[in-house]
Amino acid sequence: MARDDKLRQYRDRRDPERSPEPRGEAGRSAKDETPIFVIQKHDASTLHYDFRLEIDGVLKSWAVPKGPSTDPRDKRLAVETEDHPLDYADFEGTIPDDQYGGGTVLVWDTGTFNNAKRNDDGEIDKTLAECFDDGHLTVTLYGHKIAGGYSLTHFRTQKGKRQWLLVKMDDDRADARRNPVNTEPASVISDRELYDIVRDEGHGDG
């Protein structure tokens, strides 16, 4: 499927004259071989975290109500949402309340990642796109706040939306003592918090 077809739902839900979100016209250079991930903190009707992985030219996306955990014992619900364009990865701003996803967005974490799904012989025999279609992704993240192995597993579908579980792998980056969602609230690209973005854009007094 062409990238533009994958982004049709994204564009259909947004009014480019009203929303500051990217229109999704910029891709990435062919030399950028290592895929990126981004986690965006999104204060919409409810506060949640948008977890996005670059797969086949778009950002596959999930809404994670409680945000990612560094504790392998935690199973975090992740509701699959529409594909987003790659240039969404550095979007910060306030979406008007009358628009889809209305609320304030910041880049909570970002970095690169690798496909860590292995077969019984220890080899990668499925692409990220194939793993996504199968409903089981295992990735290694190289972020500022979140790193190491994570699995995403589709376990049910409700009201037409695939629901997954996001779980930290038990590796050397696992840490049950950390709670970065609570202790590290600021953007990794602007060092702003949500109220700073609202203030900077003139939507309130902060």
Side-chain angles (χ1 to χ4, degrees), residues 35-103:
I36 61 171
F37 83 93
V38 63
I39 302 171
Q40 283 160 309
K41 189 174 182 179
H42 189 177
D43 188 13
S45 54
T46 58
L47 180 66
H48 65 276
Y49 292 75
D50 293 310
F51 183 83
R52 312 190 196 280
L53 298 174
E54 178 185 353
I55 299 176
D56 275 7
V58 295
L59 294 171
K60 295 292 185 185
S61 299
W62 296 260
V64 183
K66 292 185 177 181
S69 174
T70 56
D71 186 346
R73 297 172 298 180
D74 292 337
K75 295 178 173 61
R76 294 291 166 87
L77 175 67
V79 181
E80 187 180 324
T81 62
E82 75 275 14
D83 295 343
H84 281 53
L86 293 180
D87 51 357
Y88 208 96
D90 59 1
F91 170 70
E92 293 190 329
T94 298
I95 304 165
D97 289 340
D98 63 351
Q99 295 296 295
Y100 176 78

Side-chain angles (χ1 to χ4, degrees), residues 76-144:
R76 294 291 166 87
L77 175 67
V79 181
E80 187 180 324
T81 62
E82 75 275 14
D83 295 343
H84 281 53
L86 293 180
D87 51 357
Y88 208 96
D90 59 1
F91 170 70
E92 293 190 329
T94 298
I95 304 165
D97 289 340
D98 63 351
Q99 295 296 295
Y100 176 78
T104 304
V105 177
L106 63 74
V107 177
W108 186 78
D109 199 15
T110 190
T112 59
F113 76 98
N114 292 328
N115 183 3
K117 180 74 171 175
R118 298 289 197 278
N119 61 20
D120 292 339
D121 295 324
E123 299 173 340
I124 294 177
D125 60 355
K126 289 186 178 181
T127 67
L128 287 164
E130 289 170 336
C131 292
F132 175 82
D133 290 341
D134 289 346
H136 188 248
L137 285 154
T138 304
V139 297
T140 303
L141 305 180
Y142 303 95
H144 301 271

